[in-house]
């Protein structure tokens, strides 16, 4: 019944599948709760909707290029 | 001033109205806080963005059909 | 697999049981998803940890008395 | 490493930049944690996905006009 | 009706009051929504319950001393 | 800058360290974002504060014994 939420970047369906599998496997191993009890919610955030160190992530990413 | 969040499936406007009315009515009854104090946030998650038991919800749904 | 979170006041175990039963019943009815799929998380917030209209809830409550 | 989340209305990029700058500045001042440690997540909610006092925000807004 | 959540360190009541006042003032200014509509939720996290860069915050803090 | 939140059971410090290490390693591998950018928040929920299938988790656990 644990709930894991990730607020991160846009991902492909293959990446989401990989993340759900590996998070569930690791969380089940650490907590000894059956894998089938885990719920995972993926929020894909636009870089304009994330702030890091007082700056929009979209601006920080454009400076790095 | 309580805040209720639901992470669930896509819903019609009529379903959202029904959910907001019934959650607010029940929460006000149980807590004895006035109905006008409640905020409800509805997040509609794509089945590719939900994991259940280590599997994407989109895959689990397609297997059931 | 939907997840409902409530950030609200301190409650008795009886109130929590009532809230979990009524939220699950109403959400299952509105969404047509089986009741056993719903997860509910209850966060009990101290009135010093809630702000309403720019003021701590603890202060607002003491003014009303 | 604190995380600030705002669930609010749709905003322009300029508004988001202003919000990220001012929240980070105020939170760093109050907590004495360096500004570069703060993460801010902005969720822009559709008025059909917000309930206030048992009513959809979209309906409440249309009544005010 | 916007909701602002901060997951951060333990704070004094005076710091919480300051944070609630300044976040509400800045958010009301940026969004042009009345201050009285804002809800703020403060979660005070134990350093053992926060991970940064793959390490518990409690360990990172002890190394800095 | 991604944020991962887990709402789960009470855990020892060793379990939290293991969870933070493994979630960060897997998320960095899947997203190709540097491990040092990840924040993880652990919420330890009391079984009286979790509902599963319309029932308190504390009751469900006592029935299994």
């Amino acid at each position: 019944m644990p709930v894991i939420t990730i607020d991160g970047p846009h991902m492909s369906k293959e990446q989401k599948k990989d993340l759900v599998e590996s998070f569930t496997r690791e969380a089940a191993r650490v907590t000894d709760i059956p894998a089938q009890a885990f719920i995972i919610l993926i929020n894909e955030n636009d870089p304009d909707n994330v702030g890091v160190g007082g700056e929009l992530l979209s601006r920080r990413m454009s400076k790095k290029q």
Side-chain angles (χ1 to χ4, degrees), chain A:
Chain A
M1 288 60 88
V3 179
I4 301 165
T5 306
I6 178 165
D7 278 274
H10 289 281
M11 285 183 277
S12 70
K13 186 168 177 176
E14 197 51 45
Q15 285 177 301
K16 295 173 188 175
K17 180 177 174 291
D18 191 351
L19 204 66
V20 162
E21 286 173 0
S22 53
F23 273 18
T24 303
R25 183 189 65 238
E26 296 298 324
R29 176 183 62 76
V30 172
T31 62
D32 210 30
I33 292 173
Q36 68 259 29
F38 285 85
I39 305 290
I40 298 183
L41 304 172
I42 299 171
N43 296 323
E44 298 174 275
N45 298 119
D46 195 273
D48 279 353
N49 285 4
V50 179
V52 184
E55 188 177 45
L56 291 184
L57 179 58
S58 53
R59 179 160 164 73
R60 177 177 282 229
M61 287 164 76
S62 70
K63 287 199 296 190
K64 285 206 176 152
Q65 290 176 335

